[in-house]
Amino acid sequence: MERIPALNKTAGHEKNGAGGQGISPHLQTRLEEYFDRLWPLPRSITGNGFRQSLDILSEIIPFERHRFPTDTVVFDWTVPKEWVAREAYFIDPAGKRRCDFAENNLHLLNYSTPFNGNVTLDELKKHLFSLPDLPEAIPYLTSYYEERWGFCISHDELTSLPEGDYQVVIDTEFIDGHLEIGEAVLEGEEPSEILFSTYLCHPSLANNELSGPLVAAFLYERLQSLPRRRHTCRFVVVPETIGTIAFLSLRGEHLLDKMAAGFQITCVGDGGSLTYKSSRRGDTLADRAAKLALASRADVRWRSFNPAIGSDERQYCSPGFDLPMGSLMRTMYTEYPQYHCSLDNKDIIDFGAMAETIDAYVDLFEIIEANRTWKNTVMFGEPQLSKRNLFRSLGSQIHSEERDNAIWWLLNLADGKHDLIDIAEKSGLDWRLLAEVAEMLNKSELLAPFEAERTPR
């Protein structure tokens, strides 16, 4: 594995604080501008399209680039050869060019082998892939690890192809190259980490592809602007599956030691309700923070971890790692009809919803930042608050009854066994209020951070 130094670029954009009020007025415009620049690039798990896409995102998030050469063994996988696609099409008996890669890069089977020759319609059909249930759509298909050539075509066009001979041109090549990933770290005051992971290998897919890297990049910008962070934040952009496995071969042991929570960012660009998919364990800090952050929303869709269908959370939650990795999405992959086909395009993207999803991720971050396990310094009987000038005197912006309730709940449950999320769930009080009151009680030496704080994972 070869490492490339981080690009020292600055975005030159307005910096925003955490929380929904911090979004700049032109965020939706910026999201759309970057979407439009990324959309036409012919991405795959290797190659120039992926690297060019990472270059564009590097204007926002300064990646350190890691390269894994062809034939590098990463756990049970081997990095494949780099795929170079120059042009692809076929010409029908009437001389009409069809399935032109230059018009829509979904037309070429991703990782198609080269082919040049004349074939009959019956022979050609063995290499054509369509979606009969979505006859107007071009499917997205790959053949990374088995050699074959082919095209993806709408079923309407497939059924209209005339009999006769066809000229096929697929100018592709497999070379010794490398797989590349981008990584960026925002250092925190503590070594524990929050991981944000997304992928960038699908061509011409909007919600299933570009929404994730865009949300991750602008989330990085938001968190970078904060005056302080408790947790270190690690961002990684990979080719799906093989890229994550390569990343884990590089950082897996480190994540096992340092990772407090993590989130797989995908399918965050449509206008659907938020969906949360839990980690393998289902009760990690990531899952508990999501439950608290989304508790007030009636329209959230909850999904349990499912290894049979998923994104890169399957790699992070594989048995040997079992990392605390959840995924906050909008409409989940496979649950919207445009998934993995040409209908997953800009028409289904809601840039306002995408910006709101960034807010939702900031909320998750803030809850994890605020979450501590405290211990009451007066464990026998309740402490005398009046002599410390605490009774009914915290925070003029908060109703006194809420303040007092927060004090009593914290003093009673701050026993080294309950963290802030526990106390918020049991008390029904807002976690922000509890966090504020806990810090005040800490300054008054009635609460102290619990030294043997339970493992957040």
Side-chain angles (χ1 to χ4, degrees), residues 41-234:
L41 297 178
R43 284 173 291 276
S44 186
I45 56 174
T46 61
N48 283 333
F50 183 94
R51 291 189 286 268
Q52 291 166 1
S53 299
L54 211 56
D55 288 343
I56 291 172
L57 290 173
S58 293
E59 297 170 12
I60 309 169
I61 176 169
F63 292 113
E64 181 178 11
R65 311 273 275 261
H66 305 286
R67 289 180 173 179
F68 298 79
T70 297
D71 294 331
T72 301
V73 175
V74 286
F75 298 117
D76 196 44
W77 294 64
T78 301
V79 174
K81 286 185 177 292
E82 188 170 314
W83 184 58
V84 180
R86 299 183 183 91
E87 66 174 348
Y89 57 87
F90 61 85
I91 299 174
D92 70 15
K96 181 179 180 180
R97 182 179 291 204
R98 297 175 181 265
C99 287
D100 193 341
F101 177 69
E103 291 184 1
N104 189 321
N105 51 41
L106 291 180
H107 274 309
L108 179 60
L109 176 69
N110 209 282
Y111 257 66
S112 172
T113 57
F115 183 84
N116 195 321
N118 294 321
V119 298
T120 65
L121 177 60
D122 286 343
E123 178 61 27
L124 178 63
K125 284 184 175 180
K126 297 175 184 177
H127 301 271
L128 300 181
F129 306 95
S130 68
L131 295 171
D133 292 338
L134 287 174
E136 73 278 24
I138 304 165
Y140 163 65
L141 291 174
T142 68
S143 189
Y144 300 138
Y145 305 105
E146 184 174 344
E147 292 188 1
R148 56 164 60 89
W149 65 267
F151 294 91
C152 295
I153 186 171
S154 74
H155 198 68
D156 284 342
E157 185 173 9
L158 174 63
T159 57
S160 70
L161 293 176
E163 291 290 340
D165 291 333
Y166 286 74
Q167 180 187 353
V168 177
V169 176
I170 300 178
D171 183 7
T172 60
E173 184 181 6
F174 295 93
I175 64 173
D176 287 334
H178 65 270
L179 176 149
E180 191 159 331
I181 64 176
E183 181 186 36
V185 177
L186 292 172
E187 296 291 346
E189 297 170 354
E190 300 177 6
S192 59
E193 293 189 3
I194 304 172
L195 173 66
F196 299 98
S197 179
T198 190
Y199 53 85
L200 186 61
C201 54
H202 299 58
S204 298
L205 298 180
N207 190 42
N208 183 231
E209 168 70 0
L210 290 181
S211 69
L214 288 171
V215 165
F218 284 96
L219 176 62
Y220 175 95
E221 186 180 77
R222 291 278 293 279
L223 300 187
Q224 183 187 40
S225 72
L226 298 177
R228 60 182 293 267
R229 291 175 297 273
R230 275 184 60 207
H231 292 82
T232 292
C233 297
R234 187 176 299 272

Side-chain angles (χ1 to χ4, degrees), residues 278-310:
S278 70
S279 70
R280 182 174 183 259
R281 281 175 275 163
D283 61 352
T284 66
L285 179 57
D287 306 320
R288 297 170 63 239
K291 183 179 178 181
L292 184 60
L294 304 173
S296 63
R297 302 181 68 118
D299 59 343
V300 177
R301 293 170 287 197
W302 301 93
R303 300 291 183 265
S304 298
F305 177 78
N306 181 351
I309 179 66

Side-chain angles (χ1 to χ4, degrees), residues 210-424:
L210 290 181
S211 69
L214 288 171
V215 165
F218 284 96
L219 176 62
Y220 175 95
E221 186 180 77
R222 291 278 293 279
L223 300 187
Q224 183 187 40
S225 72
L226 298 177
R228 60 182 293 267
R229 291 175 297 273
R230 275 184 60 207
H231 292 82
T232 292
C233 297
R234 187 176 299 272
F235 288 76
V236 63
V237 179
V238 299
E240 195 174 23
T241 305
I242 182 66
T244 305
I245 291 170
F247 172 67
L248 285 168
S249 75
L250 176 68
R251 296 280 186 247
E253 290 300 319
H254 174 85
L255 295 174
L256 281 169
D257 183 45
K258 301 296 185 184
M259 185 171 159
F263 301 95
Q264 175 66 29
I265 306 179
T266 181
C267 294
V268 285
D270 74 339
S273 301
L274 289 172
T275 301
Y276 183 77
K277 182 180 181 182
S278 70
S279 70
R280 182 174 183 259
R281 281 175 275 163
D283 61 352
T284 66
L285 179 57
D287 306 320
R288 297 170 63 239
K291 183 179 178 181
L292 184 60
L294 304 173
S296 63
R297 302 181 68 118
D299 59 343
V300 177
R301 293 170 287 197
W302 301 93
R303 300 291 183 265
S304 298
F305 177 78
N306 181 351
I309 179 66
S311 182
D312 283 332
E313 74 278 0
R314 297 193 299 186
Q315 314 312 324
Y316 295 111
C317 295
S318 57
F321 289 108
D322 197 17
L323 292 167
M325 194 78 172
S327 184
L328 178 63
M329 299 167 274
R330 286 207 172 261
T331 307
M332 194 174 83
Y333 38 81
T334 76
E335 295 188 4
Y336 62 100
Q338 303 92 340
Y339 173 69
H340 268 201
C341 74
S342 58
L343 300 182
D344 186 352
N345 55 41
K346 191 176 179 180
D347 291 344
I348 71 167
I349 292 297
D350 183 333
F351 291 102
M354 197 183 295
E356 291 170 2
T357 308
I358 297 170
D359 270 350
Y361 268 106
V362 172
D363 287 344
L364 290 177
F365 168 81
E366 289 183 331
I367 288 174
I368 294 170
E369 285 280 278
N371 192 54
R372 289 184 182 271
T373 300
W374 298 95
K375 191 164 185 179
N376 191 341
T377 60
V378 181
M379 293 291 285
F380 300 94
E382 63 188 41
Q384 186 177 1
L385 299 180
S386 57
K387 72 179 183 182
R388 296 174 173 86
N389 198 31
L390 290 173
F391 194 62
R392 302 186 187 283
S393 62
L394 289 175
S396 60
Q397 299 301 313
I398 306 168
H399 190 276
S400 62
E401 184 178 351
E402 293 177 332
R403 293 198 309 269
D404 296 346
N405 286 344
I407 291 172
W408 299 126
W409 276 102
L410 283 162
L411 291 175
N412 189 267
L413 291 185
D415 56 1
K417 300 177 183 178
H418 298 89
D419 61 13
L420 189 78
I421 294 176
D422 283 331
I423 298 171

